[in-house]
Amino acid sequence: MAYRAIQCVKIQDDIDTAIESLSLGTITQKQLGPNEIRVDVHASSLNYFDLLMLVGRYQMKQNPPFVPGAECCGVVSEIGSKVRRYKLGDRVMIFMNQSCLAEEVVIAANLVLPLPDALSFEEGSGFGVGYTTAYHGLVQRGCLVEDEIVLVTGASGGMGIAAIQVAKALGAIVIAAASSEEKLAVARLVGADHTINYSSDNMKERVKEITNGRYVDVIYEIVGGDIFNQVIRTSVNYLNIVC
């Protein structure tokens, strides 16, 4: 038996070339171990680090040929002899596991999570990396609590949207920053209280205006470069800059 998967057959010098050189191939089905499950993939997603792996610029290296993609969702189609947590037909989500851009994935059962009924396969396949990263940054590192003010950069991307929604769930006040009005409209749609266009606005002055001179308690900065240099001037607590 075999299944289809997208494969990276050669590490390229740039991301555009790497994407264009991906190929759809056939892979021999892996025999299941006693603690593993087989998942028929219904939806997969790509993160930026997945693209970095195609050009060899991520800290985790893969030797070609390999199947990229760290997140997917699907249905359990086969169970190892020692697996007790899952049954055939269960909807599950997988993240931080390579080989997700494929028709099926074989993985240890303890690395899989149940997919909540409220999430579609598509939503679940983009949940794990973004929202656990946001939770780690805002809660475990930034110690964000209710009524505090958080500034989120890159606010219309996957990581930024996750950060906005996690912050709102915590009861925080969210200032979303992005490079265009179209992107800021997305940030408002997912819950941002205030927005800043860092292509035209003075970041420090806008934050001062929005907060009545209080500035922000936590910064969730995912852009870097000049944007980082701007946002460090918007907080009175440099220890709560999460990058």
Side-chain angles (χ1 to χ4, degrees):
M1 295 287 290
Y3 63 94
R4 294 179 302 170
I6 293 175
Q7 293 179 288
C8 173
V9 296
K10 181 182 178 182
I11 298 296
Q12 302 289 345
D13 293 328
D14 65 272
I15 290 176
D16 287 342
T17 303
I19 293 172
E20 290 298 324
S21 66
L22 293 173
S23 62
L24 181 63
T26 301
I27 297 176
T28 301
Q29 201 173 51
K30 179 183 175 182
Q31 185 174 354
L32 213 62
N35 295 304
E36 294 180 323
I37 61 174
R38 192 183 312 276
V39 177
D40 288 342
V41 176
H42 285 230
S44 302
S45 66
L46 277 176
N47 292 278
Y48 185 58
F49 67 81
D50 291 314
L51 302 179
L52 292 178
M53 294 186 76
L54 301 179
V55 292
R57 297 178 196 160
Y58 192 60
Q59 56 262 37
M60 294 172 59
K61 309 294 183 183
Q62 288 270 62
N63 294 320
F66 66 89
V67 177
E71 290 188 275
C72 66
C73 281
V75 174
V76 177
S77 59
E78 189 178 353
I79 299 173
S81 60
K82 294 185 179 180
V83 175
R84 299 291 180 265
R85 184 178 182 184
Y86 297 103
K87 64 181 184 301
L88 297 180
D90 281 351
R91 295 177 356 125
V92 295
M93 56 195 299
I94 298 168
F95 65 98
M96 295 312 293
N97 175 75
Q98 287 305 307
S99 304
C100 282
L101 295 185
E103 291 181 321
E104 67 176 50
V105 172
V106 171
I107 185 171
N110 65 340
L111 299 179
V112 174
L113 293 173
L115 177 64
D117 291 338
L119 294 181
S120 67
F121 289 117
E122 292 79 9
E123 291 168 333
S125 71
F127 182 87
V129 173
Y131 287 84
T132 57
T133 300
Y135 184 86
H136 174 65
L138 293 173
V139 177
Q140 296 174 321
R141 297 300 300 271
C143 301
L144 183 68
V145 296
E146 186 176 4
D147 293 329
E148 286 190 330
I149 304 173
V150 58
L151 173 63
V152 178
T153 63
S156 67
M159 293 295 179
I161 289 172
I164 291 171
Q165 294 183 323
V166 170
K168 291 305 297 179
L170 293 168
I173 300 165
V174 178
I175 303 174
S179 61
S180 71
E181 292 305 317
E182 292 78 10
K183 292 179 179 180
L184 292 177
V186 172
R188 287 190 290 270
L189 185 65
V190 298
D193 300 290
H194 307 278
T195 56
I196 298 174
N197 185 333
Y198 45 63
S199 293
S200 57
D201 295 334
N202 181 296
M203 187 89 73
K204 180 179 178 180
E205 292 305 314
R206 279 288 291 134
V207 169
K208 182 179 179 180
E209 176 187 347
I210 291 169
T211 63
N212 294 317
R214 173 182 166 184
Y215 294 103
V216 302
D217 301 291
V218 177
I219 299 169
Y220 193 83
E221 210 295 278
I222 55 178
V223 177
D226 181 60
I227 301 303
F228 176 82
N229 293 332
Q230 293 184 52
V231 300
I232 61 175
R233 297 175 175 87
T234 67
S235 175
V236 294
N237 184 1
Y238 290 162
L239 295 178
N240 270 7
I241 300 176
V242 182
C243 303

